[in-house]
């Protein structure tokens, strides 16, 4: 590892030499820096430089610096964030190790899309329903953010689908082709002016996949609009339709991984293999949302969002077949009041969020990919309510203080209409005591461009309904919410004539009643509380704006790096007569280093190169099996050209896993039969084009 660190340190020194030659000409091109980015997801509308919380931002150009088929590479450039892809269409996100309880999907991380709660009230998020075209920018709040977002100890992901853009109308079509049957086609039209901003986007993506039983097919249509009714009144609308199909290959043991990583999970005496059972997911989804913002003068405003969603879900798994009809809805409202007294500026926020969902879930035997005999027929109702208040104070001597408090309620009603194992029906109610979640953060501006910060946050994360009602029908009423306290210090700033920006953070998170997972003989994932964990970490993000010279041949060169060190361990943990106290936290890499070089030229050629080192990862609670460390290199080359009459052309090509590493991007931790590995693709390529008209 250290030779790679030395190599990239040398790159930074070279960049600094180039920096010294550039000078301070204010006309040089650059991306937004810490003193220019405004954070809107924490209800402060404050510059990132001054924000007293741990937050990272992905702008549009960084999201699209890769093959645009997946958000994974871009998200993994953020310190403290690990996004996994177990197969095309199957994603997980861990913020500071929060994937411990997520065998699949996104849990313990709250996701908002255009201010709409995209996470279900049960706590799970189907992020795979979104195409990368639905991401205009991303803000990631790391650690507990319950004072305004409610339950969850991992963090919050805020997604905006409309990026910042100059006025005008742009129509664009694009196509990408690549290895393993990749095909991607997109079309969009966007219009931006002073009163209205709207976009219509369509994306189709399909692939055969690297492994057997990994084909995927997804169609996504989005309509998004923001309309200024008057100087005081803005209305925003969101519509999303997604039709997703993907196959599920299943995990492999170490011998199978070494022999043939492309094979799907094989049959055993407990369950058929993935190909034999035709394991797959089909999910059709509709989301409709409306946001109304009204301002009474300069000091008072309200922003209210209401939404509804409907979906049909089918999942053919090795041991069962599930059909799920889902409908949900809710809203989020906030009142903002800005006030000044003396030299103190204050903002007060009072709000509430309510979500409700109804799932009709029928579980059948899996008859070789077809629904067999009915096993369970359940109605699952989830309700979550959050009431929160927040106050921000800009104090003399460049101090900024933010305080927050929320009250959280969660209730699950499980109506078992049919239980063929017991030949009976019954009702189970699972609710959790209301919890008050406080937060306090302080920042101090040391210089105009350097700020120190500190915060203390309480975290609270109840079990999801998938953890309470597992796939084989067990209802676990004994599972308790996770609770913890996070202490954090950080420093942000710009130095060397504003050409180097940095963001460092050190934190210590004490978590009790930690929820962990294990697999039974029938591949059913079960959950239990595991005492407590100690999670200490250090995170660094830095960017050199090495060259910013639009009149020169090389007009822009940036070197961006992110380093994550997580020293996470079980403090007290006994399971089935074994003591795992003191062991490393399962599924968490202790060290991750990601460095990206971005080059742009005046003629229109550009290049992006990313190196990702991920340390070995413990795959079971006993720490007897580890996934090997890997070195991942990805690159993209392209050419952009402004043609006559407003036409724009972009040609691009790229490659993933250039070092042809054999690795697993999304391990099954504590897997029965030691089937821990979900092999990622070997070296693969893509190429494409975009044509637009302004």
């Amino acid at each position: 590892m250290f030779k790679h660190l030395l190599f990239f340190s040398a790159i930074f020194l070279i960049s600094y030499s180039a920096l010294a030659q550039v000078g301070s000409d204010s006309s040089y091109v650059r991306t937004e820096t810490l003193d220019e980015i405004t954070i809107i997801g924490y209800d402060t509308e404050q510059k990132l430089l001054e924000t007293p919380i741990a937050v990272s931002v992905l702008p549009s150009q960084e999201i699209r610096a890769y093959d645009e088929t997946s958000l994974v590479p871009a998200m993994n450039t953020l310190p403290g964030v690990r996004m996994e892809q177990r197969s095309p269409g199957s994603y997980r996100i861990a913020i500071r190790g929060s994937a411990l309880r997520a065998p699949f999907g996104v849990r313990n991380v709250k996701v908002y899309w255009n201010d709409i709660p995209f996470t279900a009230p049960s706590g799970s998020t189907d992020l795979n329903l979104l195409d990368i075209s639905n991401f205009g920018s991303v803000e990631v709040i790391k650690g507990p953010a319950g004072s305004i977002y409610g339950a969850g100890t991992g963090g919050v992901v805020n997604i905006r689908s409309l990026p910042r853009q100059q006025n005008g109308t742009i129509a664009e079509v694009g196509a990408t082709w690549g290895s393993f049957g990749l095909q991607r086609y997109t079309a969009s039209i966007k219009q931006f002016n002073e009163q209205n901003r709207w976009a219509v986007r369509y994306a189709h993506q399909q692939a055969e996949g690297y492994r057997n039983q990994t084909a995927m097919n997804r169609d996504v249509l989005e309509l998004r609009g923001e309309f200024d009714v008057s100087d005081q009144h803005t209305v925003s609308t969101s519509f999303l339709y997604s039709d997703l199909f993907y196959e599920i290959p299943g995990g492999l043991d170490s011998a199978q991984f070494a022999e043939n990583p492309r094979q799907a999970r094989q049959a055993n005496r407990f369950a058929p293999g993935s190909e034999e059972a035709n394991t797959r997911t089909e999910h059709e989804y509709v989301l409709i949302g409306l946001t109304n913002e009204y301002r009474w003068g300069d000091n008072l405003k309200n922003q209210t969002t209401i939404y509804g969603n409907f979906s049909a879900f089918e999942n053919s798994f090795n041991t069962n077949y599930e059909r799920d009809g889902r409908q949900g809805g809710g809203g989020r409202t906030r009142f903002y009041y800005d006030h000044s007294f003396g030299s103190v500026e204050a903002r007060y926020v009072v709000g509430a969020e309510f979500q409700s969902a109804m799932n009709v879930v029928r579980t059948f035997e899996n008859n070789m990919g077809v629904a067999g005999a009915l096993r369970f027929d359940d109605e699952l109702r989830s309700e979550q309510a959050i009431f929160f208040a927040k106050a921000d104070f800009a104090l003399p001597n460049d101090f900024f203080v933010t305080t927050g408090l929320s009250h959280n309620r969660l209730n699950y009603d499980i109506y078992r209409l049919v239980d063929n194992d017991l030949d009976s029906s019954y009702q189970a109610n699972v609710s959790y005591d209301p919890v008050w979640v406080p937060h306090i953060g302080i920042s101090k501006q040391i210089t105009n461009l350097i700020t120190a910060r500190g915060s203390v946050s309480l975290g609270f994360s109840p079990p999801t309904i998938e953890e309470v009602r597992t796939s084989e029908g067990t209802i676990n009423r004994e599972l308790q919410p996770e609770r913890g306290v996070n202490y954090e210090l950080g420093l942000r700033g710009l130095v060397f004539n504003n050409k180097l920006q940095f963001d460092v953070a050190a934190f210590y998170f004490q978590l009790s009643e930690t929820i962990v997972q294990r697999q039974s003989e029938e591949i059913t994932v079960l959950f239990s509380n595991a005492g407590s964990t100690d999670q200490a970490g250090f995170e660094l993000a830095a960017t050199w704006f090495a060259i910013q010279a639009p009149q020169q041949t090389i007009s822009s060169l940036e070197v961006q790096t992110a380093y994550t060190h997580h020293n996470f361990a079980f403090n007290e943990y006994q399971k089935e007569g074994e003591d795992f106290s003191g062991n490393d936290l399962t599924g968490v890499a202790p060290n991750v280093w990601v460095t990206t070089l971005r080059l742009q030229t005046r003629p229109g050629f550009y290049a992006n190169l990313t190196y990702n080192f991920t340390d070995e990862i413990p795959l079971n609670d006993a720490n007897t099996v580890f996934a090997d460390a890997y070195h991942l290199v990805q690159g993209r080359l392209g050419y952009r050209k402004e043609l006559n009459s407003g036409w724009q052309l972009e040609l691009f090509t790229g490659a993933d896993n250039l070092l042809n590493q054999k690795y697993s991007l999304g391990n099954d931790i504590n897997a029965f039969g030691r089937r821990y590995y979900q092999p990622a693709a070997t070296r693969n390529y893509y190429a494409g084009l975009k044509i637009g008209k302004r």
Side-chain angles (χ1 to χ4, degrees), residues 48 102 140 145 157 181 248 285 399 477 508 561 621:
L48 176 57
V140 179
V157 176
I248 304 171
Y285 177 86
F399 279 96
R477 305 189 196 196
Y508 177 56
T561 194
D621 295 341

Side-chain angles (χ1 to χ4, degrees), residues 262-459:
R262 302 192 69 165
Q263 65 182 304
R265 169 175 157 61
Q266 300 299 301
N268 59 23
R269 62 191 180 95
F270 301 109
S274 295
E275 291 183 272
E276 185 182 8
N278 192 16
T279 53
R280 67 193 187 279
T281 291
E282 300 176 53
H283 197 171
E284 193 170 10
Y285 177 86
V286 174
L287 170 68
I288 301 172
L290 176 69
T291 298
N292 186 80
E293 181 178 306
Y294 195 85
R295 297 169 291 279
W296 294 271
D298 296 329
N299 297 332
L300 178 64
K301 75 172 182 178
N302 171 261
Q303 187 177 65
T304 298
T305 298
I306 56 173
Y307 77 96
N309 57 46
F310 314 89
S311 67
F313 177 89
E314 291 198 25
N315 181 37
S316 172
F317 196 54
N318 300 73
T319 53
N320 56 45
Y321 191 106
E322 183 177 295
R323 286 186 180 143
D324 190 349
R326 308 175 181 179
Q327 59 184 15
R332 180 176 174 87
T333 187
R334 287 160 290 179
F335 285 91
Y336 302 83
Y337 179 66
D338 297 325
H339 177 62
S340 297
F341 46 97
S343 58
V344 176
E345 296 181 0
R347 161 167 282 195
Y348 306 99
V349 183
V350 177
E353 178 179 309
F354 176 77
Q355 290 182 271
S356 178
M358 171 70 170
N359 294 7
V360 178
V361 184
R362 294 183 174 90
T363 303
F364 306 84
E365 295 177 356
N366 189 346
N367 186 11
M368 304 307 169
V370 178
L374 179 67
R375 297 182 60 195
F376 306 102
D377 186 352
D378 292 342
E379 291 183 358
L380 312 178
R381 298 180 181 177
S382 309
E383 287 188 354
Q384 183 182 79
I386 308 166
F387 303 93
F388 56 89
K390 184 170 176 285
D392 301 324
F393 302 97
L395 303 176
N397 300 316
D398 296 319
F399 279 96
F400 184 88
V401 177
T402 179
T403 61
L405 182 67
S406 73
H407 185 262
N408 301 263
R409 306 178 68 93
L410 177 65
N411 185 74
Y412 299 139
D413 285 318
I414 303 172
Y415 298 87
R416 177 140 296 172
L417 307 178
V418 176
D419 188 332
N420 280 342
D421 292 344
L422 300 177
D423 192 23
S424 65
S425 61
Y426 52 90
Q427 178 181 353
N429 176 269
V430 180
S431 60
Y432 302 98
D433 293 336
V435 175
W436 292 94
V437 180
H439 164 85
I440 184 170
I442 302 174
S443 67
K444 162 64 176 171
Q445 200 163 341
I446 300 173
T447 70
N448 288 339
L449 294 174
I450 298 178
T451 300
R453 61 183 176 85
S455 64
V456 179
S457 303
L458 181 68

Side-chain angles (χ1 to χ4, degrees), residues 117 234 296 341 397 515 572 598:
T234 301
W296 294 271
F341 46 97
N397 300 316
I515 297 176
E572 298 177 6
R598 295 192 176 93

Side-chain angles (χ1 to χ4, degrees), residues 464-653:
T464 68
I465 202 165
E466 291 84 0
E467 294 164 343
V468 173
R469 186 259 189 204
T470 58
S471 58
E472 101 294 1
T474 300
I475 298 175
N476 185 356
R477 305 189 196 196
E478 304 302 319
L479 204 57
Q480 296 299 309
E482 296 178 326
R483 302 172 187 267
V485 181
N486 185 68
Y487 307 90
E488 184 154 351
L489 295 173
L491 191 68
R492 291 190 180 102
L494 291 98
V495 293
F496 299 132
N497 200 25
N498 301 350
K499 298 297 183 178
L500 171 64
Q501 69 177 25
F502 65 91
D503 191 343
V504 296
F507 66 90
Y508 177 56
F509 185 36
Q510 294 176 302
L511 187 65
S512 61
E513 299 293 348
T514 306
I515 297 176
V516 297
Q517 59 168 298
R518 65 180 177 85
Q519 286 191 0
S520 70
E521 294 179 351
E522 295 184 349
I523 332 176
T524 299
V525 180
L526 305 176
F527 300 88
S528 60
N529 294 105
S532 61
T533 59
D534 288 333
Q535 303 178 24
F538 172 81
E539 296 164 358
L540 163 70
T543 301
W544 282 102
F545 297 98
I547 298 176
Q548 298 291 322
Q551 302 306 315
Q552 298 182 14
T553 302
I554 298 178
S555 58
S556 175
L557 173 64
E558 297 177 16
V559 184
Q560 182 181 37
T561 194
Y563 173 68
T564 302
H565 173 69
H566 285 169
N567 183 15
F568 294 178
F570 292 109
N571 185 22
E572 298 177 6
Y573 182 18
Q574 289 82 33
K575 182 176 73 173
E576 298 175 351
E578 296 184 81
D579 189 354
F580 300 132
S581 303
N583 287 3
D584 293 338
L585 199 65
T586 319
V588 178
N591 297 286
V592 177
W593 185 289
V594 183
T595 294
T596 300
L597 282 77
R598 295 192 176 93
L599 174 72
Q600 297 185 33
T601 68
R602 186 178 180 186
F605 294 98
Y606 66 86
N608 301 305
L609 183 67
T610 298
Y611 167 79
N612 180 318
F613 168 80
T614 298
D615 213 343
E616 63 179 12
I617 299 173
L619 299 180
N620 62 355
D621 295 341
N623 288 181
T624 58
V625 182
F626 289 79
D628 292 336
Y630 60 83
H631 307 270
L632 187 63
V633 176
Q634 301 162 302
R636 172 168 168 156
L637 301 173
Y639 174 72
R640 298 187 186 96
K641 181 66 175 177
E642 293 280 346
L643 304 177
N644 295 331
S645 303
W647 286 92
Q648 300 171 327
L649 172 67
E650 180 179 357
L651 304 173
F652 57 88
T653 185

Side-chain angles (χ1 to χ4, degrees), residues 17-74:
S17 299
L19 167 74
Q21 299 175 20
V22 170
S24 59
D25 189 335
S26 61
S27 66
Y28 291 160
V29 179
R30 70 189 307 167
T31 59
E32 287 186 307
T33 55
L34 294 173
D35 62 330
E36 298 166 332
I37 298 173
T38 300
I39 298 298
I40 56 178
Y42 208 67
D43 285 338
T44 58
E45 296 182 1
Q46 188 179 15
K47 297 296 185 184
L48 176 57
L49 179 65
E50 304 164 352
T51 302
I53 60 171
V55 59
S56 294
V57 178
L58 269 179
S60 176
Q61 63 269 26
E62 293 183 18
I63 294 173
R64 288 157 179 78
Y66 303 90
D67 62 7
E68 301 187 44
T69 63
S70 169
L71 190 65
V72 172

